[in-house]
Amino acid sequence: MKVRIHVSLKPGVLDPQGRAVHHALEGLGFTGVKDVRVGRLIELDVADDTTDEALDDMCRKLLANMVIENYRIEKLETA
């Protein structure tokens, strides 16, 4: 089973990388971008019998820093 983990900073946590991207976009002449938040995407290929609880545990123990980050688990449809 393919799984995507979307990790993003919690609201209110400063995002220096997002600010740098925002500044660079402005420097390139792009207007209308009000804010940029940078996160990361982790793709896993796990056994079909992997439980939601196990995926949640992976996120809480390793893939996301629970103090400053949120995560969302997305299970992908297989063709």
Side-chain angles (χ1 to χ4, degrees), residues 32-50:
V33 179
K34 296 180 181 181
D35 192 26
V36 177
R37 302 286 284 177
V38 175
R40 64 186 184 280
L41 172 67
I42 303 164
E43 293 185 344
L44 303 174
D45 190 359
V46 298
D48 289 340
D49 62 348
T50 303

Side-chain angles (χ1 to χ4, degrees), residues 2 6 14 17 28 32 36 57 59:
K2 301 259 187 209
H6 301 267
L14 294 177
Q17 189 175 8
L28 291 171
V36 177
D57 208 26
C59 292

Side-chain angles (χ1 to χ4, degrees), residues 9-71:
L9 290 170
K10 290 182 177 182
V13 175
L14 294 177
D15 186 356
Q17 189 175 8
R19 295 295 307 151
V21 170
H22 186 256
H23 181 71
L25 289 171
E26 287 178 335
L28 291 171
F30 293 101
T31 60
V33 179
K34 296 180 181 181
D35 192 26
V36 177
R37 302 286 284 177
V38 175
R40 64 186 184 280
L41 172 67
I42 303 164
E43 293 185 344
L44 303 174
D45 190 359
V46 298
D48 289 340
D49 62 348
T50 303
T51 65
D52 291 345
E53 293 78 19
L55 293 171
D56 192 60
D57 208 26
M58 290 177 202
C59 292
R60 290 181 171 281
K61 289 184 177 179
L62 178 67
L63 301 177
N65 178 343
M66 297 307 301
V67 174
I68 61 170
E69 294 176 321
N70 291 322
Y71 64 89

